[in-house]
Amino acid sequence: MASTLLRDTDSVSMAKSLELRVPLLDTPLVEFVCALPEFARTLKGMHKALLVGAIGDLLPAEIAGQKKRTFTLPWEQWLRGPLRPRMEASFTDITPALAQHLKQEGVRAVWEAFLAGRRPGRGHGHCLL
């Protein structure tokens, strides 16, 4: 698991209602659950029914009943916060391998739109190339 991207693992496992976190990856536990008949592993309308049932009343009802959602890295917060100085420094001194392909004013315009909460797309006048 250490070399696997968390987001990819999370997306794939959630699509199949699997739990891929320690200690739920314990080999004897996985073998036991896989040996159960299908009807014992699933409960219509309840995701991860065995997990929810196993911890019984330890899990608050509002958590057990939550809708599925994916893990999302807070990259926008990072880029607007602690990584902002590094990002802005990289725009001032674009690496030569990229500088020949990017227009610095276009990169700056996209960055400023990002900071303002706008998502540039076609027709927004931001040309990077």
Side-chain angles (χ1 to χ4, degrees):
M1 291 293 294
S3 63
T4 304
L5 294 174
L6 178 58
R7 180 171 166 65
D8 293 346
T9 302
D10 195 53
S11 296
V12 172
S13 64
M14 287 181 68
K16 298 296 181 182
S17 292
L18 297 173
E19 187 57 64
L20 292 181
R21 291 179 177 85
V22 174
L24 301 172
L25 286 175
D26 180 65
T27 302
L29 177 62
V30 171
E31 290 171 346
F32 170 77
V33 172
C34 287
L36 294 172
E38 180 69 21
F39 74 88
R41 288 185 286 166
T42 59
L43 183 60
K44 190 171 181 146
M46 180 182 272
H47 297 290
K48 301 178 184 164
L50 282 178
L51 176 60
V52 172
I55 55 179
D57 58 358
L58 297 174
L59 186 65
E62 62 269 13
I63 292 182
Q66 283 182 357
K67 292 182 79 172
K68 289 172 55 168
R69 61 181 188 252
T70 185
F71 171 80
T72 303
L73 289 171
W75 63 270
E76 289 188 40
Q77 293 172 341
W78 294 342
L79 293 177
R80 287 187 177 102
L83 293 179
R84 183 174 177 171
R86 287 183 81 180
M87 293 298 296
E88 290 178 343
S90 74
F91 302 147
T92 303
D93 188 22
I94 296 176
T95 183
L98 292 176
Q100 62 183 335
H101 302 290
L102 299 176
K103 293 181 180 178
Q104 190 163 5
E105 63 274 7
V107 172
R108 175 59 62 188
V110 170
W111 177 248
E112 289 173 3
F114 167 76
L115 291 175
R118 296 187 311 273
R119 304 281 170 111
R122 291 180 179 254
H124 283 85
H126 302 304
C127 182
L128 295 175
L129 305 174

